[in-house]
Amino acid sequence: MTKYITVIGLEVHAELKTKSKAFCSCSTAFGSAPNTHVCPVCLGMPGALPVLNKQVVEFAIRAGLALNCEIKKFNKFDRKNYFYPDLAKNYQISQFDKPICENGHIDVNVNGEEKRIGITRIHMEEDAGKLVHSGATISTSDSSAVDYNRAGVPLIEIVSEPDMRSAEEARAYMENLKAILEYTDVCDCKMQEGSLRCDANISIMPEGAKEFGTRAEIKNLNSFRALVRAIEYEVERQKEILEDGGHIVQETRTWDDANGVTLSMRSKEEAHDYRYFPEPDLVPVQLDDAWIERVRSELPELPAQRQARLVKEHGLPEYDASLIVATKAMAEYFDEAVKTAKDSKGVSNWMLGDVSAYLNNEGITISEFKVTPAHLAELVNLTKDGVLSSKLAKKVFAEMLKEDKAPSVLVKELGLEQVSDEGAILKLVEETIAENPQSVADFKAGKDKAIGFLVGQIMKKSRGKANPGMVQKMLKEKMQ
Amino acid sequence: MKVSADDVKYIAQLSRLTVPETEMEKFTEQFNQILNYADILQKIDTAGIEPTAHVLPVSNVLREDVAKEGVTHEEALSNAPAVHNGGFKVPRVIE
Ligand SMILES: [Zn+2]
């Protein structure tokens, strides 16, 4: 069987976090009643004129610089014409041949290998409205209701080079891109709410081929999981067609998440003839060095820099640091906790272990996590200082999830302080030695295993509270 | 002839316009007249001249990012032929 190489390029739409829309002053608030943030401009009324929001340009420059792009000084807008009810004007204001950013890249790490993924361009445009279908699915609906609240919300479209060769690389690119957009605070990156959306261009070619195969464009990828599954499905679909001697049709397909398949969207075919022309209602935007350099100087710490800092200043392993910095809120939680924690690695272990497990289980993000960074730091310190064994720390953590109390308070309330008092431990050691002559004899005869049993007995007597290190040490001393 | 009757049909379809078969010849003729006129302009030597993005010598007309009230929900829907759940009701669009 022929071996195939997968070629993937991603087109990502990110809604910008402005207060008002791109070309009118309507609010961009999400989740309001339909058609309550609308005006003649975003409803496409004849004669209404657009005026560009300065913050849109600011955010586009910021994103472009963070993604290592060249910023183009001359900018103009164009009309992209197509008929669809989510677009009141029947054209979308976009940038066609003069995008604001070009030639950027993101470096990703997949299975320990560094790879540079090119970014062809980033352009500014406006979002469309939303169609709400009357039935359960589009095919069982006889009509749709259009909500124009989202129409005119500013977007940047980030187009990658076809540089990715696997679903893992595409996922890594998307994760890095999302983190950078979050850190630069240009987009809130909620894939489920649609503020960050991804389309994938996927093709395959026989190993050694010089030209890419015919590609399919997959839409509706609104989670990392959907992106990975859709690529895997689509690659198999294309392989089967080629193996059967068929041809791939260049087309737009949609990802059906419930059934795990991609489906052809025939209606989108002719829509590719967009008949772009310059938007006569908007004048060009001319950037100067002062503007670009001011934005550059205000760039925040980016994920890659933050990761390097966590490794250098806090001694975290690269992999752990990469997980912490992947979401901005996670990285901020870490930075806040280590302010008072005596053990940074301990904080990271908790966050990547029990905390992440709890968040996944509850289906919430760290921003919704009730335990404060200061309380988690205190828990880490209680363990570090020997007040709590790691086993009891987990018990206290379980309580912290239930009530908003400092771990030191919970330790007292639950009577869980680790016993490190020599006299008290000595008493337990002596009792246990007296009760288990056989194990003592075994230990003296060289059976090291016997000590584990004796330690276990003492921990049981103390209900887990005796300091295990001290127990071990004093047992050995007593039996010598 | 730069444009055929088929091109006119395709452009009419993209524009969602119905062009009666009886008028097809007339439209094809007119399309070609327009393109022939453009051909005259194409003959001018524009080497070294920046394309004109806008006819006015103005740039950077920008507004501050401040949200304001638009029209009311009722006003917004007042021209809608049909309304459903607070939205503009449109025929089902097949994807
Ligand atoms: Zn508006």
Side-chain angles (χ1 to χ4, degrees), chain A residues 168-193:
Chain A
E168 293 72 45
E169 286 183 13
R171 186 193 173 107
Y173 168 83
M174 194 61 198
E175 282 176 345
N176 275 272
L177 177 57
K178 175 172 181 270
I180 291 168
L181 295 174
E182 268 181 12
Y183 276 57
T184 47
D185 213 23
V186 302
C187 174
D188 67 13
C189 297
K190 291 182 181 159
M191 292 181 85
Q192 301 296 347
E193 285 181 10

Side-chain angles (χ1 to χ4, degrees), chain A residues 278-298:
Chain A
E279 166 57 277
D281 291 343
L282 288 164
V283 298
V285 180
Q286 191 76 48
L287 306 181
D288 57 17
D289 288 327
W291 190 348
I292 297 168
E293 290 316 310
R294 202 250 309 135
V295 177
R296 195 194 303 277
S297 72
E298 289 169 7

Side-chain angles (χ1 to χ4, degrees), chain A residues 346-361:
Chain A
V347 171
S348 155
N349 288 346
W350 272 102
M351 288 181 65
L352 299 176
D354 294 55
V355 173
S356 291
Y358 173 77
L359 298 177
N360 284 341
N361 232 337

Side-chain angles (χ1 to χ4, degrees), chain A residues 21 24-26 37-39 41-42:
Chain A
K21 292 186 181 181
C24 61
S25 299
C26 292
H37 300 311
V38 288
C39 76
V41 173
C42 54

Side-chain angles (χ1 to χ4, degrees), chain A residues 13-16 123-127 153-157 197:
Chain A
H13 288 89
E15 267 183 10
L16 298 175
H123 63 258
M124 302 177 275
E125 61 184 26
E126 59 178 337
D127 210 343
V153 168
L155 294 173
I156 46 173
E157 180 176 341
R197 307 195 287 270

Side-chain angles (χ1 to χ4, degrees), chain A residues 74 100 237 260 428:
Chain A
F74 178 79
I100 186 163
R237 185 188 73 87
L428 292 173

